[in-house]
């Protein structure tokens, strides 16, 4: 036991450092000698008198101190060979602790990055929505108070119900409906929005990703309106844990896809962290419309929450 602890906690940690090891080897040699000497003296003067009958002639302490071949060839090799098993078990335990700690750090890192991505999303959404309400307040529109009430419901959802990694799909549907109603108050009859949704069960999904896609469609579909009648079509379906979300918005000829690149990159980063290898996300742009299609397999259990 002394040899095992001496090697595991005194010698090996120092040998694994990049510094010079001359003193470590010297200490290993001296420590091995002292441990072997103690084992030899214990054997001759402690164990043999009890276990051997008749008692054989005993070596003197001086003879034991100078009998280096016996100490290093017989005792040290025997003691070190038994210590190797203990060291092997300790290395396996240490490796397990290191891997567990690395997984915890990776999980904390992923959670922190997701919080940062959500923090980037919320101010962006609030900035655009408050601009909309501000434009209504300038003209003293009677629907300003209603807009504020709808925005209050949206903020309640974002601030208090979207703190976990996953939320019910039904909650996201309600959030989208509130957002659409808020935008409709601004655009009146100029804007055509079709929102179809079908779910066979109330599954769980990462929050705010769908809202980001909807907000992006309004920004570049209705927000880019220069006289044409903007149109947005949304289809949401959840059947047997297979989630599909497709949104298409009309655009004008001067629309540039790069203007929505930051929001789309934000969405992709969140999907990569929460649904790695379990989702597909495609965007298609033509001269007249822009389409984003998201498919997620919600069957696997994701444990970032």
């Amino acid at each position: 036991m002394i040899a095992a602890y001496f090697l595991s906690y005194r010698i090996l940690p120092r040998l694994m450092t990049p510094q010079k090891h001359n003193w470590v080897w010297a200490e290993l040699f001296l420590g091995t000698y002292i441990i072997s000497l103690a084992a030899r003296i214990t054997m001759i003067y402690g164990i043999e008198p009890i276990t051997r009958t008749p008692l054989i002639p005993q070596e003197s302490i001086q003879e034991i101190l100078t009998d280096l071949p016996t100490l290093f060839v017989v005792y040290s090799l025997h003691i070190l060979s038994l210590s190797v098993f203990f060291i092997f078990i300790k290395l396996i335990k240490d490796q397990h602790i290191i891997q567990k700690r690395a997984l915890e750090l990776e999980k904390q890192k992923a959670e922190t990055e997701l919080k940062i991505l959500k923090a980037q999303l919320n101010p962006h959404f609030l900035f655009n929505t408050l601009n909309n309400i501000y434009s209504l307040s300038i003209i003293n529109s009677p629907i300003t108070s209603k807009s504020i009430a709808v925005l209050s419901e949206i903020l309640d959802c974002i601030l208090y119900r979207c703190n976990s990694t996953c939320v019910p799909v039904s909650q996201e549907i309600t959030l989208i409906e509130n957002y659409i109603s808020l935008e409709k108050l601004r655009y009146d009859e100029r804007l055509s929005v079709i929102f179809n949704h079908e779910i066979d069960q109330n599954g769980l999904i990462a929050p705010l990703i769908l809202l980001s896609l909807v907000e992006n469609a309004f920004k570049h579909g209705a927000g880019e309106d220069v006289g044409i009648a903007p149109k947005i079509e949304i289809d949401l379906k959840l059947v047997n844990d297979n989630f599909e979300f497709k949104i298409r918005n009309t655009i004008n000829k001067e629309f540039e896809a790069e203007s929505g690149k930051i929001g789309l990159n934000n969405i992709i980063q969140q999907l990569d962290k929460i649904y790695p290898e379990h989702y597909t996300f495609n965007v298609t742009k033509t001269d007249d419309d822009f389409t984003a299609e998201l498919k997620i397999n919600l069957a696997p259990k994701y444990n970032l929450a």
Side-chain angles (χ1 to χ4, degrees):
M1 289 180 61
I2 294 174
Y5 277 90
F6 172 69
L7 292 174
S8 299
Y9 294 98
R10 180 67 182 175
I11 300 300
L12 288 180
R14 297 166 66 192
L15 287 176
M16 297 175 67
T17 60
Q19 63 185 10
K20 294 183 179 180
H21 299 143
N22 295 338
W23 287 105
V24 180
W25 291 113
E27 185 175 338
L28 174 61
F29 179 83
L30 179 61
T32 302
Y33 173 75
I34 294 174
I35 293 172
S36 300
L37 181 64
R40 180 64 174 158
I41 292 175
T42 302
M43 177 64 69
I44 292 177
Y45 289 94
I47 298 178
E48 288 186 352
I50 299 175
T51 58
R52 285 200 172 189
T53 304
L55 183 65
I56 62 175
Q58 294 177 318
E59 299 176 62
S60 66
I61 297 296
Q62 183 177 0
E63 289 176 327
I64 296 175
L65 291 173
T66 57
D67 190 7
L68 297 181
T70 301
L71 292 177
F72 282 99
V73 175
V74 178
Y75 277 82
S76 65
L77 290 180
H78 177 68
I79 292 173
L80 293 177
S81 63
L82 293 177
S83 301
V84 168
F85 178 74
F86 173 83
I87 294 172
F88 177 73
I89 298 298
K90 180 181 180 298
L91 290 175
I92 293 178
K93 180 182 177 182
D94 291 346
Q95 185 64 26
H96 174 72
I97 293 174
I98 292 173
Q99 290 179 348
K100 183 179 179 180
R101 189 172 301 167
L103 289 174
E104 291 177 352
L105 290 175
E106 185 66 24
K107 180 180 178 180
Q108 292 175 3
K109 179 182 176 183
E111 291 175 348
T112 301
E113 290 177 348
L114 280 171
K115 289 179 181 178
I116 292 174
L117 291 172
K118 290 179 181 179
Q120 293 173 353
L121 172 66
N122 294 347
H124 179 64
F125 161 73
L126 288 176
F127 178 78
N128 291 321
T129 305
L130 288 174
N131 271 345
N132 295 345
I133 296 178
Y134 174 71
S135 63
L136 293 175
S137 65
I138 289 179
I139 61 175
N140 294 321
S141 173
I143 62 175
T144 303
S145 58
K146 186 175 181 180
S147 301
I148 296 174
V150 175
L151 177 60
S152 176
E153 293 183 14
I154 293 176
L155 290 178
D156 177 67
C157 182
I158 292 177
L159 296 176
Y160 301 108
R161 305 178 197 173
C162 295
N163 293 326
S164 59
T165 304
C166 295
V167 298
V169 174
S170 60
Q171 177 178 307
E172 289 295 284
I173 292 175
T174 302
L175 181 61
I176 293 173
E177 289 176 337
N178 284 335
Y179 182 87
I180 292 174
S181 65
L182 184 63
E183 292 290 357
K184 279 187 173 181
L185 291 174
R186 176 189 175 193
Y187 291 100
D188 298 324
E189 300 300 325
R190 293 184 298 132
L191 175 65
S192 172
V193 180
I194 301 175
F195 182 24
N196 300 314
H197 50 85
E198 174 190 352
I199 59 174
D200 65 347
Q201 57 182 331
N202 194 13
L204 297 176
I205 192 171
L208 304 180
I209 290 180
L210 304 182
L211 178 63
S212 183
L213 287 171
V214 174
E215 191 257 348
N216 188 72
F218 273 95
K219 178 181 177 182
H220 302 297
E224 298 282 343
D225 178 24
V226 289
I228 62 174
K231 184 176 182 181
I232 297 175
E233 297 178 358
I234 306 172
D235 291 300
L236 184 153
K237 181 182 294 185
L238 174 60
V239 179
N240 297 327
D241 291 321
N242 293 314
F243 179 82
E244 298 181 10
F245 185 82
K246 183 177 181 180
I247 183 167
R248 186 183 73 87
N249 61 271
T250 55
I251 57 176
N252 61 65
K253 303 296 183 180
E254 299 177 355
F255 174 77
E256 296 181 0
E258 291 296 322
S259 59
K261 187 175 181 180
I262 296 178
L264 293 180
N265 286 341
N266 187 305
I267 294 170
I268 293 173
Q269 289 180 56
Q270 293 190 63
L271 290 171
D272 284 338
K273 295 184 181 304
I274 302 177
Y275 305 110
E277 301 179 359
H278 293 286
Y279 83 94
T280 59
F281 180 64
N282 298 300
V283 294
T284 305
K285 177 182 175 295
T286 66
D287 292 337
D288 299 318
D289 57 47
F290 184 87
T291 304
E293 187 171 5
L294 172 64
K295 296 181 180 180
I296 305 175
N297 180 11
L298 298 180
K301 302 300 180 183
Y302 308 99
N303 54 7
L304 290 177

